Amino acid sequence: MTDPRRVVRELTRAHGQTYAEEAGIRLRDTPQPLYRLLVLSVLLSARIRASVAVAAARALHEAGLRDPRRMAEAGRRRRVAALGEAGYRRYDERTATMLADGARLLTERWGGDLRRLRAEADGDPGALRRLLQEVPGLGPAGADIFLREVQRVWPEVAPFVDGKALSGARRLGLPEDRDRLLEAAGDTEPAVLAAALVRAALEKQVAGDTLRRAA
């Protein structure tokens, strides 16, 4: 039987880049990076390839739509054009509307600062997850995406390993019990572990290559 610790080591070595990193987001506990992560989470929530969602997040940033005010004030055509440029065409019209609605909600309720949403949750990850789902386009899966990534800068969330990450663990033959999985991961950063497991869940080749290297 392959050593779970070796499997985790090989997985995170090759596939431990977080989705925020892939999208060019230097995640910090400040308004703009947190908002960019929120947008990325909305984009990743759709039934579309993760690489396309990441490219769309980059395109929106490059178009200057990097904070709630700019996102809300931008014309619909500008948002749609940025999404389409990245190949995010199947959901571009609906997503463009959700991004504008979400930006307005964030501005009106939390002053455009997700740290205020965090404060409202008062250190309770469950409350944080519920509040995130008030954002248009963020259901349970989208909230989980945000929490998987934000645990890097919001320590009360960590260690966060959601159902999608656990499905990756199952594909790799790793423990599906969170505590046993974290034990096998050792000092691997939870955000890195979760991102790598999600990549294994989404792509069979990731799991296959990891298991071959770990054998």
Side-chain angles (χ1 to χ4, degrees), residues 26-144:
R26 299 180 65 178
L27 195 57
R28 298 186 300 277
D29 187 27
T30 55
Q32 190 174 113
L34 291 172
Y35 178 67
R36 290 183 64 195
L37 176 60
L38 186 76
V39 169
L40 175 63
S41 300
V42 170
L43 297 172
L44 285 167
S45 297
R47 294 180 180 275
I48 200 163
R49 287 185 64 85
S51 58
V52 174
V54 166
R58 282 182 172 274
L60 288 165
H61 176 73
E62 289 164 5
L65 310 182
R66 58 194 65 170
D67 60 52
R69 181 184 61 80
R70 290 184 176 94
M71 184 67 78
E73 291 178 355
R76 179 187 179 86
R77 184 176 298 178
R78 186 176 171 193
R79 293 190 299 272
V80 171
L83 293 168
E85 178 186 330
Y88 201 97
R89 295 187 180 88
R90 184 177 175 188
Y91 302 99
D92 54 355
E93 294 283 346
R94 181 164 64 94
T95 301
T97 298
M98 290 191 301
L99 289 173
D101 291 345
R104 283 189 282 268
L105 172 69
L106 182 56
T107 300
E108 292 165 6
R109 181 162 176 184
W110 295 294
D113 189 345
L114 282 161
R115 294 176 300 181
R116 296 186 182 182
L117 181 150
R118 178 191 186 188
E120 186 174 329
D122 195 26
D124 180 355
L128 184 56
R129 189 172 186 267
R130 289 191 296 274
L131 288 169
L132 286 167
Q133 290 178 64
E134 295 186 23
V135 176
L138 271 192
D144 285 349

